[in-house]
Amino acid sequence: MRSLCFPIRGRSPLSRTFTVVLLAAFTLAACRSSERAQQPATQPTQRTLSIIPRPVSAAFTGSGTFTVTPSTTILVDPGNAEAARIGRFLAGLIGNTVETTPRVAEAAGAIPAGSIVLTMRGADRSLGAEGYELTVTPERVTISAQQPAGLFYGVQTLRQLLPPAVEYAAAITPHMEIPAVHIVDQPRFAWRGAMLDVARHFFGPEDVKAYIDAMALYKMNRLHLHLADDQGWRIEVPSWPRLAQYGGSTEVGGGPGGYYTRDEYRELNQYAQDRFITIVPEIDLPGHTNAALASYPELNCDGTAPPLYTGIEVGFSTLCVDKEITYKFVDDIVREIGAITAGPYFHIGGDEVMKLTQEQYNGFIERAQEIVRANGKRAVGWDEIAHARLLPTTIIQHWRPRGSLEGIAEAVASGATVILSPADHIYLDMKYDSTTALGLTWAGYSDVRDAYEWDPAERLPDVPESAIQGVEAPLWAETLGKLADIQYMAFPRLAGVAEIGWSPAAGRTWEEYRVRLGAQAPRWTAMGINFYRAPEVPWKE
């Protein structure tokens, strides 16, 4: 029977007893019990790494280990402020007291033994902007990358080689062993994202930061914030103040709602940037706009504001696309939200518009994307926008289940690119199974295997892989009211989405992945993540 583990090739195999002790200590034994059941008692246990996403290349380089101690120093290139910041991130992860936190210093002369080195000097150019090389020997740890993002992702891999106890804020871990390995790694896709709906239910800045932290561990780099919908408007727009003050005053079920001040939103952008995550703001247009229509009657064709809405139906609202004030409104929100958004993207929605003719809809989308471009951003929209004439810079987000692909190949032929978010696989608000209390079922159940076992290049057979930006897992919040709900629906599925976006398709199998996934449990517990213990995964205790 084929091993369920991610094999790492080593030159010096260890004895069974030593391997078991080592793997138990450092989260490298995700598949220990499975292999024992499959292998004769006389065979040595295969050494494995439980890293997610699966690296492009990884190998043990011997039986030795590097020991992190209170005297360990993190060394960075002289004058490299970003490397120093990443070094401080790593130091803060390793230690939680003055005595246990490694010193971060600039490298000068010969590198002393016992150091962790973060360098952008002499890195392999083929690694690209996000790739890295990680080498662990008994003498030192070296992470090399072309760009700061690569250093940060190398740190996330190193983090997974450390014991889960490192994630506890109060744990004292003065000595930690890291196995001698050599890893060369870079992402398959540029866009590795998650979407969080803060409109149906409002989630405050600290909840969003917690989600960002979980994304960063798995090298995800886009956070799409769904900031406005029928049930609530969640961000200040100074020229249209009632959007947040009135439109943000409720949520699904009639709760108090809420919104981000401009300062809070700026802070979220900086927090995400520090973890190499780009925030993509979405204001869904021209439908899903009841909160805006209720706040400003002039946006309605009849000049009458509807009442605020707290249900979960869709398709009943739309801006009045024949009024010129509608386009002033769009220009104002794109300009004012875009001005405090660090990234280059602005999501205009465009989904489930049932009150307009196709001609009206196309005209609005074409004009809206021009407004986005005029304000220095790149438009993104749900896959219905493929029917309009799109700019070559516009990105289509494919979301509907298989069979709803009309217009996408034609739009790509004209220069557009695609993000894949197929609802039947990676809508994280879909129930795991019939017993799941949270979530919806309109796209079917989506267990952990469903979310992992698909390939972006095969989803759109008429679209070349070069036109695929990457993947993004939406999490809609009709049934989610607190951070623990978000975590329960996202984990473990989000880890699989991260791997789909990062790792090569070749060699990626469910049987091997499920064991690496099971090994994440102690780390999630240490991080305080409320995750679903899927029965198809062998969870490590």
Side-chain angles (χ1 to χ4, degrees):
M1 182 181 294
R2 184 170 53 184
S3 168
L4 300 183
C5 298
F6 173 17
I8 304 299
R9 298 173 298 279
R11 292 193 292 267
S12 303
L14 301 176
S15 69
R16 175 186 296 273
T17 301
F18 183 76
T19 300
V20 170
V21 172
L22 178 64
L23 299 185
F26 308 114
T27 323
L28 301 178
C31 54
R32 180 178 56 202
S33 59
S34 175
E35 286 193 332
R36 283 176 173 169
Q38 296 171 27
Q39 298 176 346
T42 56
Q43 285 190 348
T45 302
Q46 188 177 27
R47 300 172 71 194
T48 65
L49 290 176
S50 297
I51 297 168
I52 295 176
R54 188 179 197 267
V56 172
S57 171
F60 280 112
T61 55
S63 59
T65 61
F66 176 87
T67 305
V68 180
T69 72
S71 62
T72 296
T73 300
I74 298 173
L75 298 177
V76 301
D77 298 333
N80 191 327
E82 272 292 88
R85 184 182 66 78
I86 296 165
R88 290 190 294 272
F89 177 96
L90 176 59
L93 178 71
I94 291 172
N96 54 16
T97 67
V98 172
E99 294 77 17
T100 60
T101 301
R103 183 172 65 95
V104 179
E106 293 187 348
I111 303 299
S115 302
I116 299 174
V117 182
L118 307 182
T119 182
M120 290 167 54
R121 291 182 170 180
D124 185 347
R125 291 187 178 276
S126 68
L127 294 173
E130 296 183 301
Y132 66 92
E133 183 173 4
L134 169 62
T135 304
V136 181
T137 69
E139 292 73 35
R140 65 184 56 86
V141 175
T142 304
I143 299 175
S144 175
Q146 281 282 314
Q147 297 293 330
L151 287 182
F152 185 77
Y153 296 138
V155 164
Q156 300 313 307
T157 295
L158 181 64
R159 178 180 182 180
Q160 292 190 47
L161 293 174
L162 290 166
V166 77
E167 307 291 349
Y168 284 110
I172 303 298
T173 51
H175 294 83
M176 295 181 289
E177 304 294 321
I178 304 173
V181 296
H182 181 232
I183 295 173
V184 180
D185 203 9
Q186 62 189 128
R188 179 184 180 187
F189 292 111
W191 192 294
R192 306 177 303 280
M195 189 220 77
L196 183 60
D197 172 16
V198 298
R200 270 48 177 271
H201 282 95
F202 179 65
F203 298 97
E206 295 308 309
D207 290 343
V208 177
K209 289 177 183 178
Y211 204 51
I212 289 171
D213 287 337
M215 292 172 59
L217 174 60
Y218 296 106
K219 305 181 180 72
M220 304 189 83
N221 66 354
R222 302 285 190 272
L223 175 59
H224 169 181
L225 285 179
H226 186 76
L227 291 167
D229 212 296
D230 292 314
Q231 299 85 355
W233 186 284
R234 306 304 182 199
I235 186 168
E236 280 186 322
V237 179
S239 62
W240 299 77
R242 276 178 58 83
L243 290 172
Q245 294 168 4
Y246 182 68
S249 66
T250 192
E251 61 187 16
V252 167
Y259 61 88
Y260 307 116
T261 67
R262 289 172 68 78
D263 285 344
E264 287 173 333
Y265 181 73
R266 286 190 188 96
E267 183 186 359
L268 283 177
N269 271 260
Q270 187 61 58
Y271 193 87
Q273 275 190 297
D274 287 346
R275 290 149 183 80
F276 295 90
I277 292 173
T278 298
I279 285 182
V280 181
E282 180 190 356
I283 301 297
D284 207 345
L285 305 166
H288 289 273
T289 48
N290 193 80
L293 299 173
S295 302
Y296 286 97
E298 59 267 39
L299 298 176
N300 296 272
C301 287
D302 62 3
T304 301
L308 293 171
Y309 181 68
T310 61
I312 64 171
E313 296 301 320
V314 300
F316 62 88
S317 64
T318 183
L319 297 171
C320 189
V321 299
D322 296 326
K323 283 187 172 182
E324 196 58 30
I325 193 172
T326 293
Y327 300 97
K328 180 183 186 308
F329 166 77
V330 174
D331 186 59
D332 287 344
I333 62 172
V334 171
R335 184 180 66 257
E336 294 180 36
I337 296 173
I340 57 174
T341 298
Y345 308 103
F346 197 100
H347 203 300
I348 58 174
D351 60 317
E352 298 176 320
V353 180
M354 303 175 188
K355 297 291 186 180
L356 299 178
T357 66
Q358 191 66 55
E359 182 180 6
Q360 287 176 312
Y361 174 84
N362 289 353
F364 174 86
I365 294 299
E366 290 162 15
R367 191 164 176 183
Q369 69 175 344
E370 289 285 1
I371 290 171
V372 171
R373 181 170 69 169
N375 282 284
K377 300 294 183 181
R378 186 174 180 182
V380 187
W382 300 107
D383 60 37
E384 289 94 327
I385 70 169
H387 295 286
R389 291 191 302 271
L390 300 181
L391 297 170
T393 54
T394 296
I395 302 172
I396 301 165
Q397 187 164 3
H398 162 54
W399 68 274
R400 289 178 288 178
R402 190 177 298 277
S404 303
L405 307 177
E406 300 90 347
I408 294 178
E410 293 81 358
V412 167
S414 298
T417 54
V418 185
I419 303 163
L420 293 181
S421 301
D424 48 334
H425 283 292
I426 59 172
Y427 261 39
L428 303 183
D429 54 300
M430 293 297 105
K431 291 177 180 285
Y432 292 100
D433 58 30
S434 62
T435 68
T436 310
L438 302 172
L440 303 173
T441 60
W442 63 265
Y445 298 123
S446 180
D447 64 21
V448 180
R449 184 169 185 169
D450 291 327
Y452 180 78
E453 204 169 37
W454 66 283
D455 183 69
E458 296 175 359
R459 180 72 186 197
L460 301 176
D462 297 327
V463 172
E465 185 168 330
S466 60
I468 298 175
Q469 289 273 333
V471 296
E472 181 178 293
L475 181 54
W476 301 98
E478 287 94 337
T479 68
L480 313 181
K482 55 185 182 294
L483 176 61
D485 297 343
I486 292 173
Q487 294 171 335
Y488 185 80
M489 298 304 285
F491 286 92
R493 291 181 288 192
L494 191 64
V497 176
E499 179 150 309
I500 292 168
W502 181 280
S503 303
R508 191 169 64 78
T509 68
W510 164 250
E511 289 77 12
E512 178 271 322
Y513 169 73
R514 63 191 280 271
V515 183
R516 279 186 290 120
L517 181 63
Q520 301 297 307
R523 193 168 303 274
W524 292 346
T525 298
M527 294 173 70
I529 292 175
N530 177 42
F531 66 97
Y532 168 63
R533 287 184 174 268
E536 63 267 36
V537 177
W539 297 106
K540 179 178 172 64
E541 296 301 330

